[in-house]
Amino acid sequence: MEYNVHTLPNGIRLLHVPAASAISHACIIVNTGSRDEPEGKAGLAHFIEHLIFKRTEKRSTNQILNRLESVGADLNAYTTKEYTCVHASFLNPYLDRTLDLFNDILFHSTFPEEEMDKEKSVILDEISSYLDQPEEAINDDFEDMLFAGHALGNNILGTTETVQHFTRADVINFRKANYRTNEIVVAVLGNYNLNKIVNNGSKHFADVEMNNPNKVRVKPAILPPSNTTIYKPIMQAHCILGTQAYSTHQTQKVPLMLLNNYFGGNGMSSVLNLQIREKYGIAYTIESNFSPLSDTGIFSIYFGTDKEKQAKALSLIFKEIKKLRDQPLNDLQLQKAKNKFIGQIALGEENRIGLIISMAKSLIDHNKIDSLENVFEKINAVTTRQMIEVTDEILNIEQLNVFTFCPIAE
């Protein structure tokens, strides 16, 4: 897909992706997330993402929330371990309104104490709700174990204790230290020419004060594998197996993405779904995931099942891992895996808001954006030998961590 990049004097980059549609999609992404939080401040990045919608120098909370919704647009935001993102979908005439709002909430929020107190209560409820969903909570506990002692293990929402003690100074200091203008991308996908994007982008972001402090991220250590079980008042057993994996900058990332998709990724035809759910019917949800980060990655296999079937499910998963290691994919199987993955990626391009966010992240991570053709070339270039090497390194049963939520015995 065609795209253009224009860098403002303060370092903020404007990404322009032309698209013939009456609907436009835009995002502003800051290269900071929960891993950048100071010790004892888990959840601060996410807290700030909530607060920016509460009050600015010129708008009340209601004015912020109605600025785009009043014209039928959609506005939302999220925080990850490495990013903070605000995004919107809107009719083409409202580009200027959208970028103006992005600027206002990102750079002119006032963080009043009374709004902070209200939002703490909201997030504490969010944490409680999250903990009531073991299939969600287990991911955070697993990552806390995988990255023990490192900020990557922090729950993105934070904890009840950390959230309650956030101060306005914490918020302001975090933003000053982490909202680096040279690591902010404003991206727009829509039916506009480059001049319009540059003019509108400059109008709203050129006056943002340059802020480029040194960025320090410490790579997490690889810890010895562990097997942990936590007993909870739940109905099903939930289990994650996994390990640290490749970063977004490592070439092995592509074969592992292909392996993950084949083994337990999207779709009902993955190996794990066919063997564990369809053949034996012992797990409603079973899947694998690979999440590359800037200096490491996470590979995991998750399933939920009745407590009595947990051992059988684990045994079958280990059996499929051993089979994959002992009987590598032949050329025909590998080509089928590539065709499936390429088709899924192509269909994913139809999700335009997801596409523009992905392109903005790529610009931050790699300072470039691969075309769809280049992505497909990389996938098609994966060899059987690469698949074997990645399988041997990542799907090493002896190196996999096992983390389980087990129902309390009656």
Side-chain angles (χ1 to χ4, degrees):
M1 179 172 286
E2 177 189 350
Y3 73 92
N4 303 284
V5 178
H6 177 83
T7 304
L8 300 175
N10 56 17
I12 293 176
R13 282 171 286 181
L14 307 175
L15 171 60
H16 163 241
V17 182
S21 172
I23 305 297
S24 296
H25 307 278
C27 67
I28 180 166
I29 294 185
V30 186
N31 188 11
T32 191
S34 62
R35 73 169 299 172
D36 301 308
E37 296 158 347
E39 187 175 353
K41 303 296 181 182
L44 185 55
H46 173 258
F47 185 54
I48 293 171
E49 175 233 307
H50 274 234
L51 287 179
I52 60 176
F53 291 91
K54 295 308 167 184
R55 194 176 301 169
T56 69
E57 294 165 5
K58 66 180 183 181
R59 290 188 174 97
S60 67
T61 300
N62 286 345
Q63 288 172 327
I64 291 169
L65 297 179
N66 282 300
R67 184 63 179 159
L68 290 182
E69 286 195 4
S70 65
V71 293
D74 178 65
L75 175 68
N76 216 325
Y78 65 86
T79 305
T80 69
K81 292 185 181 294
E82 297 190 324
Y83 299 104
T84 301
C85 175
V86 178
H87 57 88
S89 300
F90 49 93
L91 291 171
N92 291 347
Y94 300 114
L95 172 66
D96 187 73
R97 178 183 292 229
T98 300
L99 296 187
D100 172 59
L101 187 62
F102 280 3
N103 168 274
D104 197 27
I105 62 178
L106 261 294
F107 303 107
H108 299 283
S109 290
T110 55
F111 310 114
E113 297 283 357
E114 64 271 21
E115 293 292 348
M116 289 183 60
D117 290 340
K118 285 192 291 186
E119 211 54 33
K120 285 179 183 180
S121 179
V122 170
I123 292 175
L124 292 177
D125 285 344
E126 186 179 0
I127 291 172
S128 296
S129 174
Y130 196 71
L131 292 175
D132 281 340
Q133 303 175 62
E135 67 276 13
E136 299 289 343
I138 193 172
N139 282 286
D140 285 318
D141 286 5
F142 169 75
E143 290 171 10
D144 187 28
M145 176 195 69
L146 189 66
F147 299 114
H150 191 280
L152 274 173
N154 290 349
N155 186 319
I156 292 171
L157 299 181
T159 68
T160 300
E161 292 73 26
T162 59
V163 170
Q164 287 176 330
H165 292 95
F166 290 152
T167 66
R168 190 168 184 274
D170 291 333
V171 170
I172 292 171
N173 291 337
F174 182 85
R175 281 169 50 85
K176 185 176 181 180
N178 293 283
Y179 278 50
R180 302 168 180 84
T181 48
N182 64 330
E183 296 196 50
I184 294 175
V185 171
V186 179
V188 178
L189 184 153
N191 195 14
Y192 315 105
N193 59 40
L194 176 59
N195 285 339
K196 185 171 182 66
I197 300 300
V198 171
N199 290 338
N200 278 267
S202 299
K203 172 184 174 182
H204 295 295
F205 299 101
D207 290 339
V208 174
E209 183 179 357
M210 181 181 291
N211 180 42
N212 298 329
N214 290 332
K215 181 175 183 177
V216 179
R217 280 180 173 170
V218 178
K219 183 177 181 179
I222 298 178
L223 305 175
S226 64
N227 190 329
T228 302
T229 299
I230 297 178
Y231 292 90
K232 289 178 169 284
I234 53 180
M235 299 299 293
Q236 270 197 326
H238 299 264
C239 185
I240 290 186
L241 301 80
T243 183
Q244 286 194 48
Y246 308 121
S247 78
T248 190
H249 301 288
Q250 292 179 274
T251 57
Q252 301 101 311
K253 174 186 72 172
V254 178
L256 180 54
M257 291 171 68
L258 181 59
L259 174 66
N260 170 69
N261 194 63
Y262 169 80
F263 193 61
N266 292 333
M268 302 293 285
S269 62
S270 70
V271 170
L272 290 178
N273 194 73
L274 288 176
Q275 293 300 315
I276 312 302
R277 173 176 168 159
E278 298 299 329
K279 186 174 181 178
Y280 291 96
I282 60 174
Y284 176 72
T285 300
I286 182 161
E287 61 190 12
S288 65
N289 289 282
F290 168 46
S291 301
L293 301 169
S294 59
D295 52 9
T296 185
I298 305 168
F299 176 82
S300 62
I301 299 168
Y302 162 81
F303 69 90
T305 189
D306 293 337
K307 180 181 177 181
E308 295 75 18
K309 300 175 182 176
Q310 179 189 348
K312 177 67 172 177
L314 274 173
S315 174
L316 290 171
I317 291 170
F318 289 143
K319 177 182 176 182
E320 293 304 320
I321 290 174
K322 186 175 186 303
K323 185 188 299 183
L324 194 60
R325 288 166 61 90
D326 293 344
Q327 304 171 24
L329 300 185
N330 59 40
D331 291 343
L332 179 59
Q333 290 172 317
L334 180 57
Q335 190 58 54
K336 285 183 176 179
K338 291 177 179 179
N339 293 343
K340 176 186 175 183
F341 194 30
I342 287 172
Q344 290 173 338
I345 292 172
L347 289 177
E349 296 282 295
E350 294 299 310
N351 176 5
R352 293 305 178 92
I353 187 64
L355 174 62
I356 193 63
I357 291 173
S358 176
M359 294 177 77
K361 287 179 180 177
S362 182
L363 192 59
I364 287 177
D365 288 337
H366 306 289
N367 204 30
K368 66 174 185 176
I369 302 167
D370 279 341
S371 68
L372 205 56
E373 290 75 15
N374 286 341
V375 172
F376 294 165
E377 286 176 6
K378 290 179 181 180
I379 294 171
N380 279 319
V382 173
T383 64
T384 301
R385 170 51 54 187
Q386 288 176 311
M387 293 289 280
I388 293 172
E389 291 172 353
V390 167
T391 302
D392 286 346
E393 185 171 3
I394 302 300
L395 290 180
N396 182 338
I397 294 174
E398 295 180 356
Q399 296 300 316
L400 289 178
N401 297 274
V402 181
F403 192 91
T404 306
F405 282 172
C406 186
I408 298 173
E410 296 182 357

PDB file of all heavy atoms in Angstrom, residues 261-284:
ATOM      1  N   ASN A 261       1.111 -19.868  13.655  1.00  0.00           N
ATOM      2  CA  ASN A 261      -0.171 -19.885  12.959  1.00  0.00           C
ATOM      3  C   ASN A 261      -0.573 -21.308  12.572  1.00  0.00           C
ATOM      4  O   ASN A 261      -1.736 -21.685  12.653  1.00  0.00           O
ATOM      5  CB  ASN A 261      -0.101 -19.008  11.709  1.00  0.00           C
ATOM      6  CG  ASN A 261      -1.466 -18.711  11.141  1.00  0.00           C
ATOM      7  OD1 ASN A 261      -2.306 -18.080  11.778  1.00  0.00           O
ATOM      8  ND2 ASN A 261      -1.710 -19.181   9.926  1.00  0.00           N
ATOM      9  N   TYR A 262       0.396 -22.102  12.156  1.00  0.00           N
ATOM     10  CA  TYR A 262       0.143 -23.497  11.782  1.00  0.00           C
ATOM     11  C   TYR A 262      -0.223 -24.333  13.009  1.00  0.00           C
ATOM     12  O   TYR A 262      -1.162 -25.132  12.984  1.00  0.00           O
ATOM     13  CB  TYR A 262       1.389 -24.078  11.107  1.00  0.00           C
ATOM     14  CG  TYR A 262       1.358 -25.576  10.906  1.00  0.00           C
ATOM     15  CD1 TYR A 262       0.651 -26.149   9.849  1.00  0.00           C
ATOM     16  CD2 TYR A 262       2.054 -26.422  11.767  1.00  0.00           C
ATOM     17  CE1 TYR A 262       0.615 -27.532   9.667  1.00  0.00           C
ATOM     18  CE2 TYR A 262       2.036 -27.798  11.600  1.00  0.00           C
ATOM     19  CZ  TYR A 262       1.314 -28.346  10.540  1.00  0.00           C
ATOM     20  OH  TYR A 262       1.294 -29.714  10.367  1.00  0.00           O
ATOM     21  N   PHE A 263       0.497 -24.108  14.102  1.00  0.00           N
ATOM     22  CA  PHE A 263       0.376 -24.989  15.262  1.00  0.00           C
ATOM     23  C   PHE A 263      -0.858 -24.678  16.107  1.00  0.00           C
ATOM     24  O   PHE A 263      -1.579 -25.600  16.516  1.00  0.00           O
ATOM     25  CB  PHE A 263       1.641 -24.882  16.123  1.00  0.00           C
ATOM     26  CG  PHE A 263       1.756 -25.957  17.170  1.00  0.00           C
ATOM     27  CD1 PHE A 263       1.812 -27.292  16.802  1.00  0.00           C
ATOM     28  CD2 PHE A 263       1.812 -25.635  18.515  1.00  0.00           C
ATOM     29  CE1 PHE A 263       1.924 -28.295  17.763  1.00  0.00           C
ATOM     30  CE2 PHE A 263       1.930 -26.619  19.479  1.00  0.00           C
ATOM     31  CZ  PHE A 263       1.984 -27.955  19.099  1.00  0.00           C
ATOM     32  N   GLY A 264      -1.111 -23.397  16.355  1.00  0.00           N
ATOM     33  CA  GLY A 264      -2.245 -23.082  17.216  1.00  0.00           C
ATOM     34  C   GLY A 264      -2.823 -21.700  17.014  1.00  0.00           C
ATOM     35  O   GLY A 264      -3.465 -21.156  17.911  1.00  0.00           O
ATOM     36  N   GLY A 265      -2.622 -21.139  15.827  1.00  0.00           N
ATOM     37  CA  GLY A 265      -3.053 -19.775  15.566  1.00  0.00           C
ATOM     38  C   GLY A 265      -4.492 -19.667  15.113  1.00  0.00           C
ATOM     39  O   GLY A 265      -5.336 -20.509  15.424  1.00  0.00           O
ATOM     40  N   ASN A 266      -4.775 -18.610  14.344  1.00  0.00           N
ATOM     41  CA  ASN A 266      -6.143 -18.317  13.920  1.00  0.00           C
ATOM     42  C   ASN A 266      -6.739 -19.452  13.101  1.00  0.00           C
ATOM     43  O   ASN A 266      -6.058 -20.093  12.309  1.00  0.00           O
ATOM     44  CB  ASN A 266      -6.159 -17.035  13.075  1.00  0.00           C
ATOM     45  CG  ASN A 266      -5.826 -15.812  13.907  1.00  0.00           C
ATOM     46  OD1 ASN A 266      -6.064 -15.794  15.101  1.00  0.00           O
ATOM     47  ND2 ASN A 266      -5.271 -14.799  13.273  1.00  0.00           N
ATOM     48  N   GLY A 267      -8.035 -19.645  13.283  1.00  0.00           N
ATOM     49  CA  GLY A 267      -8.727 -20.641  12.472  1.00  0.00           C
ATOM     50  C   GLY A 267      -8.933 -21.953  13.210  1.00  0.00           C
ATOM     51  O   GLY A 267      -8.246 -22.277  14.176  1.00  0.00           O
ATOM     52  N   MET A 268      -9.876 -22.723  12.711  1.00  0.00           N
ATOM     53  CA  MET A 268     -10.231 -23.995  13.334  1.00  0.00           C
ATOM     54  C   MET A 268      -9.349 -25.153  12.871  1.00  0.00           C
ATOM     55  O   MET A 268      -9.447 -26.251  13.400  1.00  0.00           O
ATOM     56  CB  MET A 268     -11.696 -24.326  13.011  1.00  0.00           C
ATOM     57  CG  MET A 268     -12.700 -23.261  13.463  1.00  0.00           C
ATOM     58  SD  MET A 268     -12.800 -23.124  15.255  1.00  0.00           S
ATOM     59  CE  MET A 268     -13.732 -24.610  15.642  1.00  0.00           C
ATOM     60  N   SER A 269      -8.503 -24.904  11.868  1.00  0.00           N
ATOM     61  CA  SER A 269      -7.718 -26.005  11.297  1.00  0.00           C
ATOM     62  C   SER A 269      -6.307 -26.097  11.855  1.00  0.00           C
ATOM     63  O   SER A 269      -5.476 -26.831  11.313  1.00  0.00           O
ATOM     64  CB  SER A 269      -7.656 -25.861   9.771  1.00  0.00           C
ATOM     65  OG  SER A 269      -7.001 -24.659   9.403  1.00  0.00           O
ATOM     66  N   SER A 270      -6.001 -25.349  12.919  1.00  0.00           N
ATOM     67  CA  SER A 270      -4.668 -25.455  13.514  1.00  0.00           C
ATOM     68  C   SER A 270      -4.483 -26.856  14.098  1.00  0.00           C
ATOM     69  O   SER A 270      -5.445 -27.555  14.421  1.00  0.00           O
ATOM     70  CB  SER A 270      -4.479 -24.413  14.613  1.00  0.00           C
ATOM     71  OG  SER A 270      -5.275 -24.729  15.738  1.00  0.00           O
ATOM     72  N   VAL A 271      -3.228 -27.255  14.237  1.00  0.00           N
ATOM     73  CA  VAL A 271      -2.909 -28.576  14.772  1.00  0.00           C
ATOM     74  C   VAL A 271      -3.533 -28.774  16.151  1.00  0.00           C
ATOM     75  O   VAL A 271      -4.174 -29.795  16.430  1.00  0.00           O
ATOM     76  CB  VAL A 271      -1.386 -28.772  14.850  1.00  0.00           C
ATOM     77  CG1 VAL A 271      -1.042 -30.046  15.634  1.00  0.00           C
ATOM     78  CG2 VAL A 271      -0.781 -28.833  13.448  1.00  0.00           C
ATOM     79  N   LEU A 272      -3.340 -27.805  17.031  1.00  0.00           N
ATOM     80  CA  LEU A 272      -3.842 -27.955  18.395  1.00  0.00           C
ATOM     81  C   LEU A 272      -5.362 -28.044  18.433  1.00  0.00           C
ATOM     82  O   LEU A 272      -5.924 -28.852  19.181  1.00  0.00           O
ATOM     83  CB  LEU A 272      -3.369 -26.794  19.270  1.00  0.00           C
ATOM     84  CG  LEU A 272      -1.880 -26.770  19.602  1.00  0.00           C
ATOM     85  CD1 LEU A 272      -1.537 -25.543  20.433  1.00  0.00           C
ATOM     86  CD2 LEU A 272      -1.449 -28.037  20.337  1.00  0.00           C
ATOM     87  N   ASN A 273      -6.047 -27.233  17.644  1.00  0.00           N
ATOM     88  CA  ASN A 273      -7.503 -27.265  17.658  1.00  0.00           C
ATOM     89  C   ASN A 273      -8.031 -28.591  17.109  1.00  0.00           C
ATOM     90  O   ASN A 273      -8.962 -29.183  17.658  1.00  0.00           O
ATOM     91  CB  ASN A 273      -8.073 -26.100  16.843  1.00  0.00           C
ATOM     92  CG  ASN A 273      -9.549 -25.892  17.116  1.00  0.00           C
ATOM     93  OD1 ASN A 273      -9.943 -25.411  18.172  1.00  0.00           O
ATOM     94  ND2 ASN A 273     -10.388 -26.290  16.158  1.00  0.00           N
ATOM     95  N   LEU A 274      -7.419 -29.073  16.016  1.00  0.00           N
ATOM     96  CA  LEU A 274      -7.875 -30.328  15.429  1.00  0.00           C
ATOM     97  C   LEU A 274      -7.624 -31.515  16.355  1.00  0.00           C
ATOM     98  O   LEU A 274      -8.472 -32.409  16.481  1.00  0.00           O
ATOM     99  CB  LEU A 274      -7.170 -30.562  14.093  1.00  0.00           C
ATOM    100  CG  LEU A 274      -7.599 -29.663  12.929  1.00  0.00           C
ATOM    101  CD1 LEU A 274      -6.737 -29.943  11.701  1.00  0.00           C
ATOM    102  CD2 LEU A 274      -9.079 -29.879  12.595  1.00  0.00           C
ATOM    103  N   GLN A 275      -6.471 -31.509  17.027  1.00  0.00           N
ATOM    104  CA  GLN A 275      -6.106 -32.678  17.827  1.00  0.00           C
ATOM    105  C   GLN A 275      -6.705 -32.648  19.230  1.00  0.00           C
ATOM    106  O   GLN A 275      -7.138 -33.689  19.743  1.00  0.00           O
ATOM    107  CB  GLN A 275      -4.580 -32.780  17.923  1.00  0.00           C
ATOM    108  CG  GLN A 275      -3.908 -33.090  16.605  1.00  0.00           C
ATOM    109  CD  GLN A 275      -4.376 -34.421  16.021  1.00  0.00           C
ATOM    110  OE1 GLN A 275      -4.478 -35.419  16.721  1.00  0.00           O
ATOM    111  NE2 GLN A 275      -4.689 -34.423  14.730  1.00  0.00           N
ATOM    112  N   ILE A 276      -6.743 -31.475  19.853  1.00  0.00           N
ATOM    113  CA  ILE A 276      -7.180 -31.418  21.246  1.00  0.00           C
ATOM    114  C   ILE A 276      -8.680 -31.210  21.356  1.00  0.00           C
ATOM    115  O   ILE A 276      -9.356 -31.861  22.157  1.00  0.00           O
ATOM    116  CB  ILE A 276      -6.449 -30.301  22.021  1.00  0.00           C
ATOM    117  CG1 ILE A 276      -4.936 -30.361  21.755  1.00  0.00           C
ATOM    118  CG2 ILE A 276      -6.766 -30.379  23.504  1.00  0.00           C
ATOM    119  CD1 ILE A 276      -4.290 -31.662  22.124  1.00  0.00           C
ATOM    120  N   ARG A 277      -9.223 -30.301  20.546  1.00  0.00           N
ATOM    121  CA  ARG A 277     -10.657 -30.016  20.636  1.00  0.00           C
ATOM    122  C   ARG A 277     -11.483 -30.939  19.750  1.00  0.00           C
ATOM    123  O   ARG A 277     -12.415 -31.599  20.210  1.00  0.00           O
ATOM    124  CB  ARG A 277     -10.931 -28.556  20.267  1.00  0.00           C
ATOM    125  CG  ARG A 277     -12.429 -28.271  20.173  1.00  0.00           C
ATOM    126  CD  ARG A 277     -12.735 -26.822  19.908  1.00  0.00           C
ATOM    127  NE  ARG A 277     -14.142 -26.659  19.556  1.00  0.00           N
ATOM    128  CZ  ARG A 277     -14.819 -25.541  19.647  1.00  0.00           C
ATOM    129  NH1 ARG A 277     -14.227 -24.457  20.095  1.00  0.00           N
ATOM    130  NH2 ARG A 277     -16.089 -25.474  19.280  1.00  0.00           N
ATOM    131  N   GLU A 278     -11.149 -30.972  18.464  1.00  0.00           N
ATOM    132  CA  GLU A 278     -12.003 -31.698  17.525  1.00  0.00           C
ATOM    133  C   GLU A 278     -11.891 -33.219  17.678  1.00  0.00           C
ATOM    134  O   GLU A 278     -12.894 -33.920  17.634  1.00  0.00           O
ATOM    135  CB  GLU A 278     -11.664 -31.289  16.087  1.00  0.00           C
ATOM    136  CG  GLU A 278     -11.900 -29.809  15.794  1.00  0.00           C
ATOM    137  CD  GLU A 278     -13.353 -29.411  15.990  1.00  0.00           C
ATOM    138  OE1 GLU A 278     -14.244 -30.262  15.771  1.00  0.00           O
ATOM    139  OE2 GLU A 278     -13.606 -28.259  16.389  1.00  0.00           O
ATOM    140  N   LYS A 279     -10.685 -33.725  17.862  1.00  0.00           N
ATOM    141  CA  LYS A 279     -10.505 -35.182  17.936  1.00  0.00           C
ATOM    142  C   LYS A 279     -10.904 -35.746  19.291  1.00  0.00           C
ATOM    143  O   LYS A 279     -11.565 -36.793  19.376  1.00  0.00           O
ATOM    144  CB  LYS A 279      -9.050 -35.544  17.631  1.00  0.00           C
ATOM    145  CG  LYS A 279      -8.801 -37.044  17.552  1.00  0.00           C
ATOM    146  CD  LYS A 279      -7.370 -37.322  17.100  1.00  0.00           C
ATOM    147  CE  LYS A 279      -7.125 -38.828  16.995  1.00  0.00           C
ATOM    148  NZ  LYS A 279      -5.753 -39.130  16.507  1.00  0.00           N
ATOM    149  N   TYR A 280     -10.518 -35.030  20.385  1.00  0.00           N
ATOM    150  CA  TYR A 280     -10.760 -35.587  21.716  1.00  0.00           C
ATOM    151  C   TYR A 280     -11.829 -34.822  22.502  1.00  0.00           C
ATOM    152  O   TYR A 280     -12.329 -35.324  23.506  1.00  0.00           O
ATOM    153  CB  TYR A 280      -9.450 -35.600  22.527  1.00  0.00           C
ATOM    154  CG  TYR A 280      -8.448 -36.593  22.007  1.00  0.00           C
ATOM    155  CD1 TYR A 280      -7.439 -36.194  21.131  1.00  0.00           C
ATOM    156  CD2 TYR A 280      -8.509 -37.939  22.377  1.00  0.00           C
ATOM    157  CE1 TYR A 280      -6.515 -37.097  20.651  1.00  0.00           C
ATOM    158  CE2 TYR A 280      -7.594 -38.856  21.889  1.00  0.00           C
ATOM    159  CZ  TYR A 280      -6.596 -38.429  21.027  1.00  0.00           C
ATOM    160  OH  TYR A 280      -5.678 -39.328  20.540  1.00  0.00           O
ATOM    161  N   GLY A 281     -12.163 -33.606  22.076  1.00  0.00           N
ATOM    162  CA  GLY A 281     -13.211 -32.840  22.729  1.00  0.00           C
ATOM    163  C   GLY A 281     -12.942 -32.507  24.179  1.00  0.00           C
ATOM    164  O   GLY A 281     -13.864 -32.507  25.004  1.00  0.00           O
ATOM    165  N   ILE A 282     -11.694 -32.207  24.505  1.00  0.00           N
ATOM    166  CA  ILE A 282     -11.384 -31.972  25.919  1.00  0.00           C
ATOM    167  C   ILE A 282     -10.996 -30.528  26.222  1.00  0.00           C
ATOM    168  O   ILE A 282     -10.530 -30.237  27.329  1.00  0.00           O
ATOM    169  CB  ILE A 282     -10.275 -32.919  26.417  1.00  0.00           C
ATOM    170  CG1 ILE A 282      -8.987 -32.729  25.616  1.00  0.00           C
ATOM    171  CG2 ILE A 282     -10.731 -34.357  26.369  1.00  0.00           C
ATOM    172  CD1 ILE A 282      -7.835 -33.544  26.174  1.00  0.00           C
ATOM    173  N   ALA A 283     -11.147 -29.622  25.263  1.00  0.00           N
ATOM    174  CA  ALA A 283     -10.863 -28.214  25.540  1.00  0.00           C
ATOM    175  C   ALA A 283     -11.686 -27.359  24.587  1.00  0.00           C
ATOM    176  O   ALA A 283     -11.598 -27.523  23.371  1.00  0.00           O
ATOM    177  CB  ALA A 283      -9.379 -27.913  25.373  1.00  0.00           C
ATOM    178  N   TYR A 284     -12.480 -26.460  25.144  1.00  0.00           N
ATOM    179  CA  TYR A 284     -13.266 -25.570  24.294  1.00  0.00           C
ATOM    180  C   TYR A 284     -12.357 -24.571  23.596  1.00  0.00           C
ATOM    181  O   TYR A 284     -12.500 -24.285  22.413  1.00  0.00           O
ATOM    182  CB  TYR A 284     -14.312 -24.827  25.123  1.00  0.00           C
ATOM    183  CG  TYR A 284     -15.093 -23.813  24.322  1.00  0.00           C
ATOM    184  CD1 TYR A 284     -16.042 -24.221  23.388  1.00  0.00           C
ATOM    185  CD2 TYR A 284     -14.865 -22.450  24.479  1.00  0.00           C
ATOM    186  CE1 TYR A 284     -16.753 -23.302  22.636  1.00  0.00           C
ATOM    187  CE2 TYR A 284     -15.566 -21.518  23.725  1.00  0.00           C
ATOM    188  CZ  TYR A 284     -16.503 -21.948  22.809  1.00  0.00           C
ATOM    189  OH  TYR A 284     -17.196 -21.036  22.050  1.00  0.00           O
TER     190      TYR A 284
END
